[in-house]
Amino acid sequence: MNQIQEKNITLLYTFIQKGKVIVLVTCITMFFVLSVFYLHPSNINWVSQDNFSITNLLQFIFIDQILIELITTYCIALAIGNYAGFFKLNQLKISLSGLVLYGIKFLPLFLIVYFLFSPITTSIRYLYHYYILDRKTIDYFNSYFFLNGKLYLTYLVPVVSSGILLLSINIISTIRKIKPGNAKGGIKDLSLKVRTKLGERLISTKNISYIKKNGRKYIVKSRNEIYEINKNLSTLEKELDKNFIKVNRSTIINLVFFREYSFWENEKYILRMKDGEEFSVTRERLKSIKARIVFYNDNFDIG
């Protein structure tokens, strides 16, 4: 851990936008908030109400709260990524002061992000209550309209909690990738089974420059040799180390062999590899590729 603490690390924000992270953060946040509020002695009388039942309780927790608030968490994760990109918050010093300062920089976002997701989530909750639960007496503007001070304050604690949890998970995920033994020179050397004209063999992923779909076949280029592989790109994306990135629908490249990029036409760019191969990429996709390149240049030795 000491090797990591002595340097700044570069952060990406794509991991916290994954479904499993969104679900995890939403569940932790909502169970925490619900426990604090509903188990407080002053609010515990809900157990003795006439309409209380285990079915209603589960419906309230998993539909009214967790399911709807998945949207909230996803919006916060997207906002964190865009906010960090705009203010260039991709560097973090691993120290107590560095972590505190990093968190403080996101506080303005957590105070205003409510206005991004609330019009969506409160409207969905209103429709659910009105039509599904048949609560015809509820008033939208008094209880569900997002420009409501009480509603804003109610959301503030779970929003800040979710934001801090997302940032923490992102930091932990990054540190795990660059832990001693992985940082600076520690890209995983995996083996990949490929087909040759004579049969099958294992090749090192460190020597693979790209993998692409060619018609119905998937080909691998390694040390100027071309092989075929039985796995599709989606499967390979999950199995390969993070220095491999999908640049378009038919190609995965190894960042170790990336050389440069240049504008081509109509919002498209050309990626050039060290072996002279070229691949087209959209402007939007190029942004994520550039971020990944910065991440690996800063945290790993990719040549």
Side-chain angles (χ1 to χ4, degrees):
M1 188 69 179
N2 291 333
Q3 290 179 340
I4 295 173
Q5 291 176 335
E6 293 173 356
K7 65 187 286 292
N8 291 345
I9 62 173
T10 299
L11 298 167
L12 294 175
Y13 294 89
T14 53
F15 179 73
I16 58 175
Q17 296 171 16
K18 293 185 176 182
K20 60 184 180 181
V21 178
I22 300 299
V23 172
L24 176 64
V25 170
T26 303
C27 290
I28 293 175
T29 301
M30 295 317 301
F31 278 117
F32 167 72
V33 171
L34 293 174
S35 298
V36 169
F37 182 79
Y38 287 100
L39 295 182
H40 191 275
S42 62
N43 298 320
I44 200 66
N45 62 338
W46 56 271
V47 178
S48 59
Q49 293 179 359
D50 294 336
N51 62 347
F52 173 78
S53 69
I54 297 299
T55 301
N56 288 342
L57 177 63
L58 294 176
Q59 185 182 56
F60 172 73
I61 293 174
F62 290 102
I63 299 179
D64 200 303
Q65 298 300 307
I66 292 177
L67 186 61
I68 293 177
E69 295 308 332
L70 287 172
I71 300 171
T72 297
T73 308
Y74 183 64
C75 288
I76 295 173
L78 286 179
I80 286 174
N82 285 285
Y83 183 86
F86 184 82
F87 289 104
K88 302 186 184 306
L89 301 177
N90 63 337
Q91 294 290 321
L92 172 64
K93 183 179 180 180
I94 303 298
S95 66
L96 179 59
S97 60
L99 290 169
V100 171
L101 181 60
Y102 175 75
I104 290 174
K105 290 178 179 178
F106 281 91
L107 279 180
L109 171 67
F110 299 154
L111 293 176
I112 64 172
V113 72
Y114 164 86
F115 299 100
L116 172 65
F117 66 79
S118 184
I120 302 172
T121 55
T122 54
S123 296
I124 292 175
R125 182 170 283 111
Y126 170 77
L127 294 173
Y128 170 67
H129 289 173
Y130 191 88
Y131 291 104
I132 305 299
L133 300 185
D134 199 30
R135 297 177 184 173
K136 302 300 184 183
T137 59
I138 58 176
D139 183 79
Y140 176 78
F141 286 98
N142 285 337
S143 303
Y144 299 85
F145 187 53
F146 74 99
L147 294 178
N148 180 314
K150 183 178 179 181
L151 193 61
Y152 172 80
L153 293 175
T154 300
Y155 260 108
L156 195 56
V157 171
V159 165
V160 174
S161 300
S162 295
I164 292 174
L165 192 53
L166 286 166
L167 292 177
S168 301
I169 289 174
N170 197 48
I171 293 170
I172 293 170
S173 173
T174 301
I175 291 175
R176 288 183 61 190
K177 293 174 185 175
I178 60 174
K179 60 187 176 181
N182 281 355
K184 288 296 178 185
I187 290 177
K188 295 178 183 177
D189 187 10
L190 306 174
S191 295
L192 202 63
K193 183 185 292 187
V194 296
R195 294 202 312 270
T196 70
K197 294 180 179 179
L198 300 177
E200 294 183 336
R201 61 172 294 191
L202 293 175
I203 62 173
S204 168
T205 54
K206 280 190 173 182
N207 299 324
I208 295 175
S209 57
Y210 66 81
I211 304 170
K212 71 176 184 179
K213 185 177 181 181
N214 187 10
R216 295 185 176 181
K217 298 179 180 179
Y218 293 91
I219 63 172
V220 178
K221 184 173 183 182
S222 174
R223 292 189 181 278
N224 295 320
E225 296 289 337
I226 300 295
Y227 305 99
E228 292 184 13
I229 191 168
N230 290 326
K231 298 178 179 179
N232 58 37
L233 297 185
S234 297
T235 301
L236 289 167
E237 269 192 297
K238 297 175 183 178
E239 294 181 357
L240 294 170
D241 202 5
K242 298 300 182 181
N243 54 302
F244 285 87
I245 185 170
K246 194 173 183 179
V247 297
N248 55 45
R249 293 181 178 179
S250 61
T251 310
I252 294 175
I253 69 168
N254 185 347
L255 293 177
V256 173
F257 294 91
F258 169 79
R259 188 178 71 187
E260 62 186 11
Y261 68 89
S262 61
F263 179 73
W264 180 26
E265 63 178 5
N266 299 328
E267 299 294 307
K268 291 185 178 181
Y269 289 76
I270 292 294
L271 297 182
R272 294 186 180 88
M273 308 295 284
K274 292 178 181 179
D275 59 7
E277 293 283 349
E278 297 182 346
F279 304 104
S280 64
V281 62
T282 63
R283 177 189 290 271
E284 286 302 312
R285 189 59 181 158
L286 181 63
K287 290 181 181 179
S288 63
I289 295 171
K290 289 164 66 176
R292 185 75 68 84
I293 291 170
V294 170
F295 175 82
Y296 272 89
N297 278 335
D298 287 352
N299 296 326
F300 295 82
D301 179 8
I302 65 172

